[in-house]
């Protein structure tokens, strides 16, 4: 029984024991198990960006068996992927590695006239495949907001009845310019929105110091946003004063020092962890494991 | 990844990954995790025999929190109990200790005119409480056979859809005298029946050398049944030539040496483990833990 | 926020906030609100025993409006009745007085061949009438056990989904003589059974010192059962070591001193309160209110 | 495309193509594939008679993998078994060996007060396991007739919607003496009843020359029933003048010559094949294969 | 039991035996049965391009009976068509020739404002007609992506419950120019997308050496794409490192040498087979059979 984990779970006190059990399972798994911090390996970039761009840099990643092996050996808390990748490995990994089924996905081939992922799998897929959570992407800012929010409204309810928590990817996109997508006020807004929609775990990008919304400019004068740590702190504050788990993505693959500096700031700001895909699986296995070990060492503090 | 466990799971090759995941979870949990052997703590005797008789010898057991604590500290693979006891502790234990919800139960107050347990909880209770399996008692030999088998037929199917395996308690009772209930031919028959009904884990009593069925007498001349180990071996054979997990109860509380001698024989005969209730929770905590440790040491071989 | 109430509710930690909210509503209502004790006014005797026998002694009670008025003026925590009585007053009292809909009931006209109440209303009746709980009677010991337990299994689940807790009347009857019905071992067994079936509040009769079950005699040598307080203490112990709310009926109308002496013992033994019907509504209003005031004064300690 | 098979299938002209396809599959499979004759291996005796009696004579049969291997190597048209045995091998054999899921089963431990099998699996089990048919036992003559016939009424309809035909075991039992169970008039009656209930394939015992029903005595004076071939001819006549497939069991294991003589008569009388369990799997593998080869040779004519 | 087939099926290890059985059935049928390679005859061009254009060149093809006869005589693994064509022949072919019901279809008459096929039949049609799989076309790149992916998400789940695998036609179309539709990066992307959506068998066009996506240009510098064999190899890699069956269409009818050269390259690149429509059924029967024989000879290696 980890005190750090139980303290976090106390924030979800109205939730049923099935959902709590799966959150606990993820929080207690892997190298960071019991610390209250999480590092999740997500591999949905094959469909999101195309297989060549995604797995070309490290062709071992074309194999759906590669990623849960990496997640296991690197000691990640969980592995997240779309239906096909989970189906290919669930028989082998269910019950040993917490699996998160991404139930919606976008791709780069289509232009659907705005930002909205396609529903690509069902809650009952997550159940039959022995998953510990569903994952869902929202695009706060998209003109398709109402469709997306209604979808996740229904999926969260169905997942709860199956004892599954929801991890929500919240990417601000649509009614804003590129800089706004990672502006600290917008990231905070996206994180808060995800929490209000009922997400158990929220995933956002690390916020920049940019302020995107004129109407928020004044109030941000008194909110420290200079360092990434400051901004992470503010995002956590927006996530119900820290009562919801917020983890941060690393974005496109980059050099190790940059990655680790980000992690140090996320940790300093009270972030709950990272979701690290391309920076992990696009490196050769030993490098990926070394990087993830360094990341986890920082979160262990 | 335990080879012993994966070898067992290979026998359930048509099953969905959700069910496999929960079987794997139970087989990989606790002191015997990864050995392919299981020791389960069951506490349904409060309703089956009455609370005074059950918890009087060790009043700590009146507290529903006592048993999962004992199961955890003693390193059991799972804890099985009726709805009320599971509800009282699921928030705290889901995701750390595999829980088995007994979905039917009998009691000693009523005489329902034959042997048939009452349905006392639902598969969706098991799901919302974060359980890893459902438990169900059949009484092969009961005149209510058809009702019971239809109930478990439907419950197994519903549990499967929720990713939950079924642990089946198979107690021969009804159309036979007392000695027959534990006769080796009858126990083997009960175990085989449970397997044919689709049980993932079967629980029977240790068989005696008695032969109850006249029509089987001849064939048993060539089946060794002298020692308990011999008889366990035959029961495992009847359980699909060892392809199904069969665990054995200890029955009423008795002295430690008798318990351990039984376990040695069960182990020698290839039994997959024990389900040990009163012999565990009716002893004071240190003694219970010591006994369970000795039992597990034997199974570890 | 009452500490006493919250401490009790902590025992229902896996339950959803809707159910918790209604339990809290009852525990915080009336004179005993916030003390953790409850006095409930039940009026199902009209159907159970016939209207003349029930309301003749105080004809004001024929009026369904009389009882919620009495419950309100006397400061009861809740009022329990069958469908008709609740329908007659729900428009007026929903939202001010916690209402408990008895969803099954027996009567004295029919002999159904054993002990089993008739289902007389639905969970959705309780919802449309603004009730705070459903009430259900089980008869542990009845040969109709399996039917009853399956009924309440399904009703509790349905009530939970509607945010309603279940108050369970547990009267041992059937496979036993009259003395056994209130024997301390049997009452403890009945209370434990109700808890295992998932009851949120259990209602039993005050137990006598009689021991009914031969198989339990030995263990009861070391359980104090001399005074009613002792026996109440044991019943609470059987109710998950005190983790479930257990309230006691008063039975047939009797003199005030006897009633109050029982209450003092119940209170001394740690009982959570009383359900007091005929002793209340068969008295003239001022006397009824005076008696209930005295009872509540004792529980207030 | 086998003419013999298509001629048989023309008798089921109102049936949907899914059901026809699975009948065709069974008729075209194995050594007798395309001849219009069938030999099915049924292994439900483990639950019907007990595992020791059933598999003791050839212990290889305890292994659920043994029987489909035998059915395959011996060139049987299909393999029939209860849920557990099918689950254990469906992953490996679905799509290569036609599987028949016995959805009800009896056992020898219980006395349920008459002749009625228990429902032990569902049509959706047959579907998920890739079966080609369901199997169901009726006991014409049983006082539980109405329950059984309603069950199979519903199961046939559900199976049809899943594209599955129904093989019906029709054993006359109950309201008659032992001799009557295999009397030619009774067997003909049982076969006709199964056809009227909608069975696609009927399985009965070889009829004796005994006449059981006084009311039929007169008419049977003009029906030849002297030889088994005569009687088989009459049973086929009773089965819609030969328009339904009727196969015959062999009963308890017996010597090869007796078995083969029966088969010759069945063939001579126009029987459509055999269902041969104990006579096959209780022999050592080479003998079993040799016997089945001889049987099939007779049917090939 | 074919080793080649079982090795392929092992890649679908979480799937239920019903789905596996139908995959196995298709892989074991026809001339290529047991080789692990497939040649499927698809005839949906009547609705897709109009009957005159489709069947004019060989008017025998107007007859729905022509195609399954061709598929059978040529030894194809399966025959795929829309509802009407399947309904016309299912009674005759179910159980002998694996049938694939195309459950969506486009046509050339309508302009629905983008690329999206119409749902034209149901999973339960496939079941009642005795089919072995459903077929579904996605258009990665279409602005109707979200509708299509949600449709197939639900249809795959429903088909699985009926024991049916899904063959997915993946044609990149929409947000791209004509050359891009068959560009190697786009075909790989389409194949990967189909796999992630849960397709059991993926059908794409043979990729050209063209690169369509600027963002993928860099990574393709190190991926060999010169020969068709190279590109096939890459597409198979994108299909879960070869763990999913990928078959290739031939496109418009062309001369035999071109067809066979393509097949040689597909075979050399590790493609799992072909789906060959117009190149087969638009030729006179003897030529079609000769061509298909040549194709199969290449795949046999």
């Amino acid at each position: 029984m980890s005190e750090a984990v139980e303290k976090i779970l106390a924030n979800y006190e109205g939730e049923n024991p099935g959902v709590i059990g799966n959150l606990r399972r993820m929080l207690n798994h892997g190298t960071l198990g019991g610390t209250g911090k999480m590092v999740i390996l997500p591999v949905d970039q094959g469909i999101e960006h195309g297989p060549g761009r995604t797995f070309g840099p490290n062709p071992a990643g074309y194999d759906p068996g590669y990623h849960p092996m990496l997640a296991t050996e690197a000691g990640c808390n969980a592995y997240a992927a779309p239906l096909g990748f989970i189906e290919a490995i669930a028989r082998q990994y269910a019950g040993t590695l917490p699996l998160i089924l991404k139930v919606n996905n976008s791709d780069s081939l289509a232009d659907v006239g705005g930002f909205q992922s396609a529903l690509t799998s069902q809650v009952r897929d997550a159940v039959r495949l022995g998953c510990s959570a569903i994952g869902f992407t929202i695009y706060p800012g998209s003109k398709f907001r109402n469709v997306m929010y209604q979808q996740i409204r229904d999926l969260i309810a169905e997942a709860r009845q199956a004892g599954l928590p929801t991890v929500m990817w919240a990417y601000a996109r649509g009614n804003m310019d590129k800089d706004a997508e990672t502006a600290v006020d917008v990231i905070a807004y996206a994180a808060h929105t995800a929490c209000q929609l009922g997400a158990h775990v929220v995933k956002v990008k690390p916020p920049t110091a940019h302020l995107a919304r004129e109407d928020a400019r004044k109030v941000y004068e008194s909110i420290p946003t200079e360092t990434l740590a400051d901004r992470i702190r503010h995002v956590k504050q927006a996530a119900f004063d820290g009562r919801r788990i917020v983890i941060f993505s690393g974005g496109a693959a980059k050099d190790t020092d940059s990655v680790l500096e980000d992690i140090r700031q996320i940790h300093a700001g009270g972030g709950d962890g990272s979701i690290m895909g391309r920076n992990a699986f696009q490196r050769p296995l030993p490098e990926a494991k070394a990087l993830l070990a360094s990341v986890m060492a920082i979160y262990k503090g």
Side-chain angles (χ1 to χ4, degrees), chain A residues 116-190:
Chain A
Q116 190 197 354
S117 297
L119 297 177
T120 51
S121 55
Q122 301 182 337
V123 169
R124 62 177 168 173
D125 288 316
V127 171
R128 80 178 160 89
L129 295 170
C131 296
S132 294
I134 61 163
F136 189 91
T137 297
I138 59 169
Y139 295 118
S142 164
K143 64 181 174 186
F144 295 130
R145 178 194 66 195
N146 291 5
V147 176
M148 278 187 293
Y149 290 6
Q150 184 167 341
Q151 286 173 341
I152 188 56
R153 175 193 72 152
D154 295 343
L155 286 166
I156 282 188
E158 191 184 347
R160 167 175 294 111
Q161 287 199 312
L164 297 177
T166 296
V167 179
M168 203 178 293
W169 276 244
Y171 292 116
R173 273 187 204 165
N175 188 29
M176 64 190 72
D177 61 28
K178 201 73 198 165
D179 284 349
E181 293 178 358
T182 50
V184 62
D185 55 339
V186 169
I187 293 284
Y189 200 158

Side-chain angles (χ1 to χ4, degrees), chain A residues 15-39:
Chain A
E15 200 44 272
N16 70 45
V19 170
I20 293 299
N22 275 311
L23 278 175
R24 184 180 278 130
R25 203 164 265 149
M26 291 191 285
L27 286 162
N28 282 333
H29 189 83
T31 305
L32 291 176
T35 64
K37 301 294 179 181
M38 301 178 87
V39 171

